[in-house]
Amino acid sequence: VKFYQDAFDWKIEKWSGPQDYWLITTGSEKEPGINGAIMRRMSPGATTVNTIDVPSIDAYMAKVKNSGGKVITEKMSIPGVGYFCYCQDTEGNTFGIMQSDTMVRS
């Protein structure tokens, strides 16, 4: 929870139910986002790899590192799409960050 709050400025609140389950607000209601939740894995092998849209991949690669995470691939250019890399949070969960090509966003 702390990693995602620090790296992405998300608002994260523990759900009042009986599980380790946290509700997430990723931005304002006027912007697209992935508002939802995070929870502990049900089994060690269970995994999902989400990709997070960021305005600057270089800035967020630095934020990931400064928040205790790791950048595990180099920044990759995807022609006509933008820039992408894989990262890991402080618990070893893999996720992607992506900066869309401004020429594609219209």
Side-chain angles (χ1 to χ4, degrees):
V1 169
K2 182 173 177 6
F3 170 79
Y4 291 98
Q5 287 173 324
D6 291 347
F8 297 102
D9 298 319
W10 292 349
K11 178 182 173 188
I12 303 176
E13 299 176 312
K14 186 163 185 342
W15 179 56
S16 61
Q19 300 177 351
D20 284 335
Y21 193 83
W22 292 267
L23 302 173
I24 303 172
T25 303
T26 60
S28 78
E29 291 182 20
K30 297 176 185 175
E31 297 175 3
I34 60 167
N35 294 343
I38 56 175
M39 60 184 274
R40 294 196 186 277
R41 290 184 188 151
M42 296 297 204
S43 63
T47 186
T48 298
V49 178
N50 293 306
T51 299
I52 302 163
D53 182 45
V54 296
S56 167
I57 196 162
D58 294 320
Y60 276 82
M61 288 170 77
K63 287 182 87 166
V64 164
K65 291 176 189 175
N66 291 337
S67 298
K70 298 177 185 173
V71 175
I72 59 173
T73 65
E74 294 185 22
K75 176 174 73 174
M76 298 173 254
S77 174
I78 303 171
V81 177
Y83 298 95
F84 176 83
C85 75
Y86 282 115
C87 303
Q88 284 183 335
D89 66 18
T90 53
E91 295 181 16
N93 299 300
T94 300
F95 63 94
I97 56 176
M98 181 167 193
Q99 174 187 338
S100 295
D101 187 334
T102 56
M103 299 303 290
V104 175
R105 289 184 181 190
S106 54

